[in-house]
Amino acid sequence: IRYIKYVGNRGLGDKKLGKECGLKVGDTLNAYAVEEGRRKIEEYYHAKGFPRTTVSIFEGDQAEDRGVVYVISEGKLERIGAVRFIGNDPNLATDARLKTQIKSKPGFLWYLFGGRVDRRQIDEDVERLTAYYRSLGYFKARISRELNYDKSGEWLTLAFVIDEGPQYQVESVTINGNRLFAEDEIIASLKLKAGEPFDLRKMNRDVNQLRDLYGTHGHIFADIQADPRFREEPGKLDLVYNVEEGGTFRVGEINVHIEGDHPHTKQSVVLNRLSLSP
């Protein structure tokens, strides 16, 4: 490659585009690498608020070419002016709460910081909102988005349309594979109980609590897996915790390393203050 040129770029400089495309003068002229560079430049524009940008290869994909020339049609710089949520129950999830789950937001001081339209990020925000609702037991929640531009085509009002669906309830909680502890004893210690709405955060806390419980009795490699099982009855599920207790581990030697040329602390002082012993 003897030269690399960019034609039509106004919003982004040659230096930034060169860094993104990955090509350098002196590299071997390879049609695949040139096409990859075109794709990367286009994606970079889309992430920087130019979702309608197209990039074409004017020179660099033919055997007789000696350099690379990209022709860029930027389109308008688009920014998010407002974000709205339609269909959400404010008693469950307020607009303020949902905004903490997404990354597409109006910029600070409008023009100065952020707020550029990134279509890929908007699609990822739809997935984030869907995952958030499912973590609260709304397993049939559906999220879509609407893009409404003003007359200039530069300012976007982004609306997420939400169909929450029913919230699933935990009908029963059971423990499989436990031998060290009684099932009733374990269930009594759990945060997520039968009759309550499903909550992924509570379920994960219970899984960690059970691992700690077994770990304090020497089963440091106990494997706890939560298994929500949907019933045929709509909005109901059974929660099963599958336990593989594993073996019991005991403390072998306890080694104490005290640094320094002339230590003043004896090993016995340290060992006497430990809660574990061989």
Side-chain angles (χ1 to χ4, degrees):
I1 299 177
R2 296 181 180 178
Y3 53 83
I4 302 174
K5 297 180 180 180
Y6 308 94
V7 179
N9 57 308
R10 299 181 305 278
L12 299 175
D14 290 3
K15 188 175 181 179
K16 289 184 178 179
L17 297 182
K19 184 178 180 180
E20 289 300 318
C21 80
L23 298 178
K24 296 179 182 178
V25 173
D27 289 349
T28 301
L29 187 60
N30 179 285
Y32 174 80
V34 174
E35 170 59 25
E36 272 295 286
R38 183 205 68 79
R39 182 187 62 79
K40 290 178 180 178
I41 292 172
E42 201 167 85
E43 287 186 352
Y44 185 62
Y45 263 99
H46 293 172
K48 289 298 180 180
F50 295 87
R52 303 181 194 276
T53 295
T54 58
V55 180
S56 58
I57 301 171
F58 182 76
E59 188 177 337
D61 57 353
Q62 302 298 321
E64 64 272 14
D65 292 339
R66 293 295 175 263
V68 179
V69 179
Y70 292 112
V71 178
I72 301 168
S73 176
E74 290 184 338
K76 294 181 178 180
L77 172 62
E78 300 177 3
R79 295 181 183 270
I80 299 174
V83 176
R84 299 172 55 217
F85 300 94
I86 302 172
N88 56 305
D89 181 357
N91 295 320
L92 169 69
T94 62
D95 288 7
R97 176 58 180 163
L98 294 178
K99 285 180 180 178
T100 65
Q101 305 299 311
I102 63 174
K103 293 186 177 181
S104 301
K105 301 176 183 178
F108 179 63
L109 296 180
W110 288 61
Y111 281 100
L112 297 181
F113 304 102
R116 297 187 177 191
V117 174
D118 184 344
R119 298 288 182 90
R120 183 172 58 181
Q121 183 168 274
I122 292 173
D123 291 338
E124 291 173 355
D125 285 337
V126 170
E127 296 178 4
R128 291 187 187 98
L129 289 172
T130 302
Y132 172 72
Y133 270 97
R134 288 178 178 172
S135 73
L136 297 177
Y138 292 84
F139 292 100
K140 293 187 178 181
R142 296 180 298 175
I143 316 290
S144 61
R145 81 283 191 283
E146 295 179 353
L147 309 179
N148 301 309
Y149 288 89
D150 65 1
K151 292 182 179 180
S152 70
E154 298 178 4
W155 289 98
L156 168 68
T157 297
L158 173 60
F160 292 99
V161 182
I162 301 168
D163 178 10
E164 295 175 344
Q167 185 179 30
Y168 276 68
Q169 305 287 323
V170 178
E171 285 293 292
S172 67
V173 178
T174 55
I175 313 294
N176 288 337
N178 55 304
R179 297 185 302 275
L180 184 61
F181 303 102
E183 182 176 19
D184 292 344
E185 180 183 353
I186 295 176
I187 292 177
S189 68
L190 301 179
K191 300 295 184 182
L192 183 56
K193 301 183 183 298
E196 294 183 355
F198 178 84
D199 189 319
L200 181 64
R201 291 169 296 183
K202 284 186 178 181
M203 186 187 77
N204 288 338
R205 282 199 296 266
D206 286 340
V207 168
N208 290 330
Q209 179 180 313
L210 289 177
R211 289 182 182 140
D212 291 342
L213 176 64
Y214 277 94
T216 59
H217 287 73
H219 295 262
I220 59 175
F221 294 112
D223 184 22
I224 316 294
Q225 299 293 332
D227 181 19
R229 299 177 181 178
F230 297 98
R231 290 190 170 193
E232 293 183 1
E233 184 181 359
K236 306 291 185 182
L237 63 82
D238 296 316
L239 185 54
V240 179
Y241 293 96
N242 295 310
V243 179
E244 290 186 13
E245 296 179 341
T248 304
F249 284 77
R250 297 185 180 277
V251 179
E253 294 183 359
I254 298 179
N255 300 309
V256 180
H257 300 278
I258 302 175
E259 295 185 353
D261 295 333
H262 304 288
H264 297 284
T265 305
K266 296 181 179 180
Q267 290 192 11
S268 59
V269 174
V270 178
L271 293 172
N272 289 338
R273 281 161 175 76
L274 297 180
S275 58
L276 293 173
S277 60

